Amino acid sequence: MKTNISKALDFGISLIGTPYGYWEGGECQKGAPMFAQNGLVPNKHDIVSLNCAGLCNVMLRSIGKDLPISVKDNTVGGTEAYYDYYDTYEKLTDFSMNETYPIGTLLIRKFRDINDQGHVAVIIENKGKTSKVLQSHVDGEFHKSVLPGVNSIYTLEESHNAFTDEKGNGCCYEKVVLPENWLL
């Protein structure tokens, strides 16, 4: 029998190739690209675009789990909600590039503002920094590109280093949530 972890990962992986969709501020969209409401998972033909939080939202919905809610402002299913919810329930641990995380671990960069909306992604291999990461993002100019969208083409190290600080150091991921704390 498949576990919720493998069911959620299988569903997320089946969405590889779905274009990226943008959140422009305000309430998280209840449809594409965020699917930020509780309930049954949408039909695949209705999933026409996904952002990073939207991918995690449909993964949770595929296994009948409720989406995280931010205790600060009661928003559902955005990157801020993922960080705040798991922080409130003390399920966040510090990210370390030297750690080998289990398959299904949620990676989080905290939401800061409309220009740094944070990021969520999921580890789909157990190979340390060379583990592939399932995520939705854009390569290219923000607000113009929609590709690669949902993908697993980057390793944990490549994904982490794609976002850099003012000194050029990789700084995407700050926290993790182990699979048993968000998918079970």
Side-chain angles (χ1 to χ4, degrees):
M1 188 167 113
K2 285 183 130 178
T3 67
N4 273 358
I5 295 169
S6 62
K7 286 178 190 175
L9 290 175
D10 288 349
F11 188 78
I13 290 167
S14 78
L15 298 170
I16 288 176
T18 304
Y20 186 84
Y22 291 91
W23 172 74
E24 302 288 342
E27 186 175 342
C28 296
Q29 297 103 326
K30 292 182 179 178
M34 294 195 72
F35 298 96
Q37 65 179 343
N38 291 315
L40 297 175
V41 67
N43 290 319
K44 281 192 183 178
H45 70 272
D46 293 328
I47 302 175
V48 295
S49 67
L50 288 167
N51 60 20
C52 64
L55 173 61
C56 292
N57 290 343
V58 296
M59 289 172 66
L60 283 171
R61 289 174 64 178
S62 77
I63 56 172
K65 300 274 295 180
D66 285 342
L67 304 183
I69 299 173
S70 172
V71 295
K72 291 180 183 175
D73 61 10
N74 212 34
T75 58
V76 177
T79 53
E80 183 172 43
Y82 275 90
Y83 188 97
D84 290 347
Y85 179 84
Y86 293 110
D87 187 40
T88 298
Y89 293 100
E90 298 179 357
K91 301 298 182 187
L92 290 180
T93 57
D94 290 338
F95 170 80
S96 171
M97 183 57 69
N98 297 318
E99 185 77 26
T100 298
Y101 295 105
I103 293 169
T105 297
L106 179 67
L107 304 160
I108 301 177
R109 176 179 175 76
K110 186 176 182 177
F111 175 91
R112 287 164 172 75
D113 57 40
I114 191 77
N115 297 311
D116 184 353
Q117 297 176 14
H119 189 57
V120 289
V122 182
I123 292 176
I124 60 171
E125 293 182 320
N126 192 5
K127 298 180 179 178
K129 63 176 95 179
T130 63
S131 297
K132 293 293 186 177
V133 174
L134 180 66
Q135 60 188 332
S136 186
H137 66 93
V138 295
D139 285 339
E141 194 171 343
F142 203 64
H143 291 288
K144 292 189 178 180
S145 177
V146 295
L147 298 176
V150 179
N151 71 87
S152 63
I153 56 179
Y154 294 102
T155 66
L156 175 59
E157 185 171 35
E158 291 167 335
S159 181
H160 177 69
N161 289 333
F163 194 97
T164 56
D165 64 15
E166 64 280 351
K167 296 177 184 173
N169 298 314
C171 63
C172 187
Y173 302 115
E174 301 164 316
K175 300 288 183 177
V176 301
V177 180
L178 296 176
E180 61 268 20
N181 291 327
W182 80 287
L183 292 174
L184 293 180

PDB file of all heavy atoms in Angstrom, residues 5 10 14 18 45 59 73 112 133 159 166 173 184:
ATOM      1  N   ILE A   5       3.081   9.964   1.571  1.00  0.00           N
ATOM      2  CA  ILE A   5       4.286  10.598   1.023  1.00  0.00           C
ATOM      3  C   ILE A   5       4.454  10.203  -0.439  1.00  0.00           C
ATOM      4  O   ILE A   5       4.603  11.065  -1.314  1.00  0.00           O
ATOM      5  CB  ILE A   5       5.537  10.237   1.848  1.00  0.00           C
ATOM      6  CG1 ILE A   5       5.429  10.805   3.265  1.00  0.00           C
ATOM      7  CG2 ILE A   5       6.807  10.739   1.159  1.00  0.00           C
ATOM      8  CD1 ILE A   5       6.472  10.295   4.241  1.00  0.00           C
ATOM      9  N   ASP A  10       4.115  11.240  -6.171  1.00  0.00           N
ATOM     10  CA  ASP A  10       3.710  10.757  -7.492  1.00  0.00           C
ATOM     11  C   ASP A  10       2.810  11.774  -8.193  1.00  0.00           C
ATOM     12  O   ASP A  10       2.962  12.030  -9.384  1.00  0.00           O
ATOM     13  CB  ASP A  10       2.988   9.412  -7.397  1.00  0.00           C
ATOM     14  CG  ASP A  10       3.913   8.257  -7.063  1.00  0.00           C
ATOM     15  OD1 ASP A  10       5.158   8.432  -7.110  1.00  0.00           O
ATOM     16  OD2 ASP A  10       3.393   7.169  -6.735  1.00  0.00           O
ATOM     17  N   SER A  14       3.794  13.912 -11.534  1.00  0.00           N
ATOM     18  CA  SER A  14       2.955  13.798 -12.734  1.00  0.00           C
ATOM     19  C   SER A  14       2.631  15.157 -13.349  1.00  0.00           C
ATOM     20  O   SER A  14       2.182  15.238 -14.487  1.00  0.00           O
ATOM     21  CB  SER A  14       1.651  13.044 -12.413  1.00  0.00           C
ATOM     22  OG  SER A  14       0.718  13.878 -11.745  1.00  0.00           O
ATOM     23  N   THR A  18       4.020  21.449 -16.324  1.00  0.00           N
ATOM     24  CA  THR A  18       2.970  22.458 -16.150  1.00  0.00           C
ATOM     25  C   THR A  18       3.639  23.828 -16.068  1.00  0.00           C
ATOM     26  O   THR A  18       4.567  24.023 -15.283  1.00  0.00           O
ATOM     27  CB  THR A  18       2.157  22.192 -14.867  1.00  0.00           C
ATOM     28  OG1 THR A  18       1.617  20.868 -14.921  1.00  0.00           O
ATOM     29  CG2 THR A  18       1.038  23.205 -14.702  1.00  0.00           C
ATOM     30  N   HIS A  45      -6.689  18.421 -15.888  1.00  0.00           N
ATOM     31  CA  HIS A  45      -6.885  19.352 -17.011  1.00  0.00           C
ATOM     32  C   HIS A  45      -7.202  20.774 -16.543  1.00  0.00           C
ATOM     33  O   HIS A  45      -7.106  21.714 -17.314  1.00  0.00           O
ATOM     34  CB  HIS A  45      -7.945  18.829 -17.995  1.00  0.00           C
ATOM     35  CG  HIS A  45      -9.339  18.850 -17.473  1.00  0.00           C
ATOM     36  ND1 HIS A  45      -9.883  17.802 -16.765  1.00  0.00           N
ATOM     37  CD2 HIS A  45     -10.295  19.798 -17.543  1.00  0.00           C
ATOM     38  CE1 HIS A  45     -11.120  18.104 -16.427  1.00  0.00           C
ATOM     39  NE2 HIS A  45     -11.398  19.308 -16.892  1.00  0.00           N
ATOM     40  N   MET A  59      -0.411  18.953  -4.122  1.00  0.00           N
ATOM     41  CA  MET A  59       0.131  17.716  -3.558  1.00  0.00           C
ATOM     42  C   MET A  59      -0.585  17.378  -2.252  1.00  0.00           C
ATOM     43  O   MET A  59      -0.978  16.231  -2.030  1.00  0.00           O
ATOM     44  CB  MET A  59       1.645  17.838  -3.349  1.00  0.00           C
ATOM     45  CG  MET A  59       2.437  17.836  -4.643  1.00  0.00           C
ATOM     46  SD  MET A  59       4.206  18.198  -4.421  1.00  0.00           S
ATOM     47  CE  MET A  59       4.731  16.764  -3.482  1.00  0.00           C
ATOM     48  N   ASP A  73      -1.878  36.417   9.342  1.00  0.00           N
ATOM     49  CA  ASP A  73      -2.901  37.146   8.585  1.00  0.00           C
ATOM     50  C   ASP A  73      -3.995  36.239   8.009  1.00  0.00           C
ATOM     51  O   ASP A  73      -4.791  36.679   7.187  1.00  0.00           O
ATOM     52  CB  ASP A  73      -2.262  37.978   7.483  1.00  0.00           C
ATOM     53  CG  ASP A  73      -1.499  37.139   6.465  1.00  0.00           C
ATOM     54  OD1 ASP A  73      -1.610  35.895   6.493  1.00  0.00           O
ATOM     55  OD2 ASP A  73      -0.794  37.739   5.646  1.00  0.00           O
ATOM     56  N   ARG A 112       9.064  37.420   2.068  1.00  0.00           N
ATOM     57  CA  ARG A 112       9.487  38.701   2.601  1.00  0.00           C
ATOM     58  C   ARG A 112       8.592  39.831   2.096  1.00  0.00           C
ATOM     59  O   ARG A 112       8.124  40.647   2.855  1.00  0.00           O
ATOM     60  CB  ARG A 112      10.944  38.963   2.250  1.00  0.00           C
ATOM     61  CG  ARG A 112      11.874  38.080   3.083  1.00  0.00           C
ATOM     62  CD  ARG A 112      13.277  38.023   2.507  1.00  0.00           C
ATOM     63  NE  ARG A 112      14.201  37.343   3.386  1.00  0.00           N
ATOM     64  CZ  ARG A 112      14.249  36.020   3.572  1.00  0.00           C
ATOM     65  NH1 ARG A 112      13.410  35.218   2.955  1.00  0.00           N
ATOM     66  NH2 ARG A 112      15.145  35.487   4.388  1.00  0.00           N
ATOM     67  N   VAL A 133      15.222  18.126  -6.874  1.00  0.00           N
ATOM     68  CA  VAL A 133      14.202  18.886  -6.173  1.00  0.00           C
ATOM     69  C   VAL A 133      13.013  19.094  -7.113  1.00  0.00           C
ATOM     70  O   VAL A 133      13.188  19.493  -8.260  1.00  0.00           O
ATOM     71  CB  VAL A 133      14.775  20.255  -5.728  1.00  0.00           C
ATOM     72  CG1 VAL A 133      13.708  21.131  -5.120  1.00  0.00           C
ATOM     73  CG2 VAL A 133      15.924  20.048  -4.761  1.00  0.00           C
ATOM     74  N   SER A 159      19.487  24.364  -6.876  1.00  0.00           N
ATOM     75  CA  SER A 159      18.285  25.121  -6.541  1.00  0.00           C
ATOM     76  C   SER A 159      18.568  26.140  -5.437  1.00  0.00           C
ATOM     77  O   SER A 159      18.159  27.298  -5.524  1.00  0.00           O
ATOM     78  CB  SER A 159      17.182  24.154  -6.111  1.00  0.00           C
ATOM     79  OG  SER A 159      15.999  24.839  -5.802  1.00  0.00           O
ATOM     80  N   GLU A 166      23.467  39.489  -1.587  1.00  0.00           N
ATOM     81  CA  GLU A 166      24.219  40.592  -2.206  1.00  0.00           C
ATOM     82  C   GLU A 166      25.689  40.253  -2.438  1.00  0.00           C
ATOM     83  O   GLU A 166      26.360  40.887  -3.238  1.00  0.00           O
ATOM     84  CB  GLU A 166      24.083  41.874  -1.365  1.00  0.00           C
ATOM     85  CG  GLU A 166      24.663  41.804   0.028  1.00  0.00           C
ATOM     86  CD  GLU A 166      23.768  41.106   1.052  1.00  0.00           C
ATOM     87  OE1 GLU A 166      22.604  40.802   0.750  1.00  0.00           O
ATOM     88  OE2 GLU A 166      24.263  40.855   2.163  1.00  0.00           O
ATOM     89  N   TYR A 173      17.195  28.372   0.478  1.00  0.00           N
ATOM     90  CA  TYR A 173      16.493  27.634   1.525  1.00  0.00           C
ATOM     91  C   TYR A 173      16.995  27.998   2.904  1.00  0.00           C
ATOM     92  O   TYR A 173      18.191  28.097   3.150  1.00  0.00           O
ATOM     93  CB  TYR A 173      16.594  26.132   1.269  1.00  0.00           C
ATOM     94  CG  TYR A 173      16.022  25.790  -0.074  1.00  0.00           C
ATOM     95  CD1 TYR A 173      16.812  25.285  -1.090  1.00  0.00           C
ATOM     96  CD2 TYR A 173      14.678  26.034  -0.349  1.00  0.00           C
ATOM     97  CE1 TYR A 173      16.285  25.009  -2.336  1.00  0.00           C
ATOM     98  CE2 TYR A 173      14.142  25.774  -1.596  1.00  0.00           C
ATOM     99  CZ  TYR A 173      14.944  25.261  -2.587  1.00  0.00           C
ATOM    100  OH  TYR A 173      14.412  25.005  -3.813  1.00  0.00           O
ATOM    101  N   LEU A 184       2.063  13.402   6.307  1.00  0.00           N
ATOM    102  CA  LEU A 184       1.384  12.290   6.999  1.00  0.00           C
ATOM    103  C   LEU A 184       0.295  12.787   7.922  1.00  0.00           C
ATOM    104  O   LEU A 184       0.220  13.906   8.270  1.00  0.00           O
ATOM    105  CB  LEU A 184       2.394  11.456   7.803  1.00  0.00           C
ATOM    106  CG  LEU A 184       3.405  10.680   6.986  1.00  0.00           C
ATOM    107  CD1 LEU A 184       4.339   9.898   7.908  1.00  0.00           C
ATOM    108  CD2 LEU A 184       2.738   9.723   6.022  1.00  0.00           C
TER     109      LEU A 184
END
